[in-house]
């Protein structure tokens, strides 16, 4: 029940994009980056992350599988072009 202005939504999106650049290779970094992203907007309490905490481990494993699969795919494509 919180209406965010368009500028606040843009600020959240920009912070999320900048935070995601360096955190993809770090396990469980998504939860800590969420604190940073939610900390940008004073109307949102970063303690709401406690709701996400129980299921974050499962979601983190899924993100890790996607990251590793993408890295392996790109590495194999680059390796075939180098031959």
């Amino acid at each position: 029940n919180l209406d965010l202005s368009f500028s606040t939504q843009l600020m959240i999106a920009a912070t999320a994009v900048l935070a995601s650049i360096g955190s993809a290779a770090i396990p469980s970094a998504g939860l800590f980056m969420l604190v940073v992203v939610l900390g940008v907007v004073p109307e949102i309490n970063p303690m709401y992350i406690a709701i996400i905490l129980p299921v974050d481990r499962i979601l983190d494993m899924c993100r890790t599988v996607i990251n590793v699969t993408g890295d392996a795919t790109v590495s194999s494509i680059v390796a075939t072009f180098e031959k």
Side-chain angles (χ1 to χ4, degrees):
N1 294 336
L2 180 65
D3 292 329
L4 298 175
S5 66
F6 185 70
S7 63
T8 304
Q9 292 177 17
L10 280 177
M11 190 175 3
I12 291 172
T15 307
V17 168
L18 292 174
S20 69
I21 291 171
S23 66
I26 303 170
S28 299
L31 193 64
F32 298 108
M33 288 298 131
L34 190 58
V35 173
V36 172
V37 171
L38 292 180
V40 171
V41 183
E43 294 92 13
I44 299 175
N45 187 359
M47 294 307 293
Y48 290 147
I49 294 174
I51 299 169
I52 301 171
L53 189 61
V55 295
D56 185 62
R57 182 67 183 151
I58 298 167
L59 297 174
D60 186 52
M61 287 188 279
C62 295
R63 288 189 298 262
T64 302
V65 166
I66 292 170
N67 187 23
V68 169
T69 304
D71 290 347
T73 303
V74 171
S75 297
S76 64
I77 291 171
V78 170
T80 58
F81 285 127
E82 288 184 350
K83 290 182 181 180

